[in-house]
Amino acid sequence: MPCSPWRRLRPKRRPALHGARLLQLMGEVLREGPQELLAPMFVALDEGGRRLPHGLLVQALELGRQSAALRHWLTPVLGERGRWLAALNPQWSYASGVQETADPEQIWQEGSIDQRVALLHGERTADPAKARARLEASLKELSAKERAPMVMVLETGLSLDDEPLLEKLLGDRSKEVRENAARLLSRLPQSAHSQRITGWLQAMLSRDARGEWQIEPPEEGCKDWERDGIALQPPPYIKGVRAWWLQQMVELAPLDFWTGTLAMAPEQLWEWSRRSDWKTALRQGWLAALRDQHDVRWIALLQTLERDARAESLLPALLDRLGQEQREAHWLAQLQQARGTLIDRINAIESGMPPVGEFSQALSERLMEELDKALGGKQATGSWHSWQADQALLACARRLHAGVLPRFALLWRKPAASAAADAEPDAATASGIALTPEQQARLERARLRPWDDERVLAQLNRCVDLRMALHAALGA
């Protein structure tokens, strides 16, 4: 009896990491967090060619059930037993199915949605036309739930060669598929779809007597809009149908249309919109367009939009488009800015980081110098007894280069002599000067550090110890 493709194509087994302390730390992170350390831990294992130890598989699979975003990093390090376990529990089906090295046709026929999407993504990277042909040939057999994420895979290697298929998908029976096709076409300025959208917007633009640009949406909608992704009827929570039409068109228009037609940089466009009756529609549309178009020219503007959660969420993808040196220069500039506290600057850098990634050694050492100045003395420089301060220090624990971590840990793991020196009374107390209750309270707050909170201290230690242990084990 011939062997099955499953057995014939069984991949080489990955070894697991060993060491009681390392396994203990990995288990603690799985059980207690911080959650932000999970993806970096899985990536470190994957890049080192290792898998999760068997004793941690159940916890890891359960976390993957709870977080779809985590699965991308988790599934490569589950190993053969992890996939076997996943097949026994319907709630873990995201991780079961064919092996990663199985024949592509077997994956396409038998794999989960995630596995087939991964297959398409790999084929788009190597041969965009082959992946497009595979998807187009299978459209009638796929459910709407399957078609929607598979269509978005076309963003890898997207070109005008994909336009005929995407135009066809504008008439798909699934609303999500239609929206995804329109989003991708908006990234092709020369596509017929983009030309139609910008044509409608061009008709809304005019100059006033002073030569300044004005925009005015039409009084009535057009049925032709609907096929191109413009809903004529707004959802119940939207007030103002004309603003709704405009916002959708701005979202689907190539951003180059605005910078080219109005001859304005992003900062100038933002200021121009402030003087318009349609400010909110324009701004919401531009931010939505950036979700797909990743125009790095908008980075500087986004960084000025403080406390704008949507703008902050866009930064990682935009910064990811920059080269490593450009990103480093950008982060160093943020660190050196006089605006805001060190805590604010660290959190601003963190908000622009992808889920996985660490600072370079040069940036880490520069940041460590700032942390030493702020926290290495008897009293902290600035207020470090806040939730924002906790997040900044935990971000450092996750992001600092591994070579800087021992120095970072010394901030709270000081030698006995240094700790005793810090415990000495301040000059006012030593001289017998009586402090008012308010002064005493300020003095006590000045002495507080994030690690004075037991929960934060536990997370700091866990982050640092696990990262150093992984670095030692995988670098050996």
Side-chain angles (χ1 to χ4, degrees), residues 167-179:
E167 276 283 340
K168 175 183 175 181
L169 291 170
L170 289 175
D172 193 274
R173 59 185 181 275
S174 164
K175 181 175 181 289
E176 187 177 1
V177 171
R178 295 194 303 270
E179 289 176 346

Side-chain angles (χ1 to χ4, degrees), residues 297-318:
R297 293 172 297 180
W298 289 71
I299 289 176
L301 171 67
L302 294 181
Q303 289 173 330
T304 67
L305 306 182
E306 297 180 2
R307 298 181 178 85
D308 188 316
R310 192 170 189 179
E312 289 181 358
S313 69
L314 292 167
L315 276 171
L318 293 182

Side-chain angles (χ1 to χ4, degrees), residues 260-327:
T261 302
L262 276 62
M264 296 181 187
E267 294 85 352
Q268 294 171 309
L269 288 170
W270 205 259
E271 175 61 21
W272 169 70
S273 69
R274 184 182 64 81
R275 303 189 296 273
S276 171
D277 293 338
W278 309 99
K279 177 183 75 172
T280 300
L282 288 166
R283 292 182 173 184
Q284 292 299 317
W286 287 328
L287 292 177
L290 280 168
R291 173 191 60 183
D292 299 309
Q293 298 183 42
H294 299 166
D295 189 331
V296 298
R297 293 172 297 180
W298 289 71
I299 289 176
L301 171 67
L302 294 181
Q303 289 173 330
T304 67
L305 306 182
E306 297 180 2
R307 298 181 178 85
D308 188 316
R310 192 170 189 179
E312 289 181 358
S313 69
L314 292 167
L315 276 171
L318 293 182
L319 290 168
D320 197 48
R321 299 291 292 250
L322 299 177
Q324 179 63 29
E325 290 186 4
Q326 290 175 300
R327 285 198 299 270

Side-chain angles (χ1 to χ4, degrees), residues 92-169:
W92 299 339
S93 61
Y94 67 87
S96 65
V98 296
Q99 303 282 4
E100 289 89 338
T101 57
D103 179 75
E105 296 305 322
Q106 183 187 4
I107 296 177
W108 190 248
Q109 296 299 325
E110 302 176 19
S112 65
I113 293 178
D114 289 342
Q115 288 165 333
R116 283 181 287 164
V117 167
L119 171 66
L120 273 182
H121 186 275
E123 289 186 340
R124 282 292 289 186
T125 302
D127 188 346
K130 178 181 179 180
R132 181 176 62 250
R134 180 189 293 280
L135 175 59
E136 190 166 14
S138 302
L139 284 174
K140 292 182 180 179
E141 306 166 5
L142 298 171
S143 67
K145 183 180 179 181
E146 295 169 318
R147 292 197 306 278
M150 290 181 185
V151 167
M152 285 308 295
V153 174
L154 295 178
E155 68 182 339
T156 300
L158 182 68
S159 72
L160 281 174
D161 291 338
D162 301 309
E163 183 183 9
L165 174 57
L166 292 172
E167 276 283 340
K168 175 183 175 181
L169 291 170

Side-chain angles (χ1 to χ4, degrees), residues 146-400:
E146 295 169 318
R147 292 197 306 278
M150 290 181 185
V151 167
M152 285 308 295
V153 174
L154 295 178
E155 68 182 339
T156 300
L158 182 68
S159 72
L160 281 174
D161 291 338
D162 301 309
E163 183 183 9
L165 174 57
L166 292 172
E167 276 283 340
K168 175 183 175 181
L169 291 170
L170 289 175
D172 193 274
R173 59 185 181 275
S174 164
K175 181 175 181 289
E176 187 177 1
V177 171
R178 295 194 303 270
E179 289 176 346
N180 288 350
R183 287 172 55 189
L184 292 176
L185 285 166
S186 73
R187 296 172 56 178
L188 297 171
Q190 301 306 314
S191 69
H193 176 270
S194 291
Q195 296 297 310
R196 292 191 296 270
I197 296 290
T198 55
W200 293 327
L201 286 170
Q202 186 76 61
M204 301 179 197
L205 287 165
S206 62
R207 290 182 182 268
D208 62 17
R210 295 174 296 178
E212 294 188 3
W213 284 105
Q214 306 290 320
I215 191 164
E216 194 68 27
E219 296 287 346
E220 296 183 1
C222 173
K223 285 293 290 183
D224 291 343
W225 294 351
E226 292 187 301
R227 186 177 182 276
D228 284 318
I230 312 299
L232 293 180
Q233 293 299 320
Y237 58 86
I238 295 291
K239 293 184 179 179
V241 67
R242 296 172 68 202
W244 171 241
W245 296 335
L246 176 60
Q247 179 177 326
Q248 293 177 89
M249 288 189 191
V250 174
E251 178 177 347
L252 293 175
L255 288 165
D256 281 345
F257 166 76
W258 299 99
T259 54
T261 302
L262 276 62
M264 296 181 187
E267 294 85 352
Q268 294 171 309
L269 288 170
W270 205 259
E271 175 61 21
W272 169 70
S273 69
R274 184 182 64 81
R275 303 189 296 273
S276 171
D277 293 338
W278 309 99
K279 177 183 75 172
T280 300
L282 288 166
R283 292 182 173 184
Q284 292 299 317
W286 287 328
L287 292 177
L290 280 168
R291 173 191 60 183
D292 299 309
Q293 298 183 42
H294 299 166
D295 189 331
V296 298
R297 293 172 297 180
W298 289 71
I299 289 176
L301 171 67
L302 294 181
Q303 289 173 330
T304 67
L305 306 182
E306 297 180 2
R307 298 181 178 85
D308 188 316
R310 192 170 189 179
E312 289 181 358
S313 69
L314 292 167
L315 276 171
L318 293 182
L319 290 168
D320 197 48
R321 299 291 292 250
L322 299 177
Q324 179 63 29
E325 290 186 4
Q326 290 175 300
R327 285 198 299 270
E328 287 286 323
H330 166 78
W331 291 328
L332 278 170
Q334 280 201 316
L335 187 60
Q336 294 166 355
Q337 284 176 356
R339 185 184 64 193
T341 65
L342 177 59
I343 295 168
D344 294 334
R345 283 173 278 163
I346 293 173
N347 284 329
I349 294 173
E350 168 66 11
S351 70
M353 289 283 287
V356 176
E358 66 178 30
F359 303 141
S360 71
Q361 185 150 5
L363 178 60
S364 297
E365 290 174 351
R366 178 70 180 83
L367 184 54
M368 197 61 237
E369 292 175 6
E370 296 292 329
L371 289 168
D372 273 334
K373 291 177 185 176
L375 292 167
K378 184 176 179 181
Q379 293 189 0
T381 301
S383 176
W384 287 84
H385 59 288
S386 65
W387 179 84
Q388 291 82 0
D390 296 347
Q391 296 309 300
L393 213 62
L394 287 168
C396 291
R398 297 192 307 273
R399 303 289 193 179
L400 287 174

Side-chain angles (χ1 to χ4, degrees), residues 58-109:
V58 172
Q59 290 172 303
L61 285 164
E62 186 61 17
L63 286 171
R65 179 188 69 80
Q66 298 168 12
S67 171
L70 194 62
R71 298 171 191 173
H72 171 73
W73 295 285
L74 169 61
T75 51
V77 296
L78 287 173
E80 187 171 331
R81 180 171 294 191
R83 289 187 293 273
W84 173 77
L85 278 174
L88 301 178
N89 185 342
Q91 294 186 322
W92 299 339
S93 61
Y94 67 87
S96 65
V98 296
Q99 303 282 4
E100 289 89 338
T101 57
D103 179 75
E105 296 305 322
Q106 183 187 4
I107 296 177
W108 190 248
Q109 296 299 325

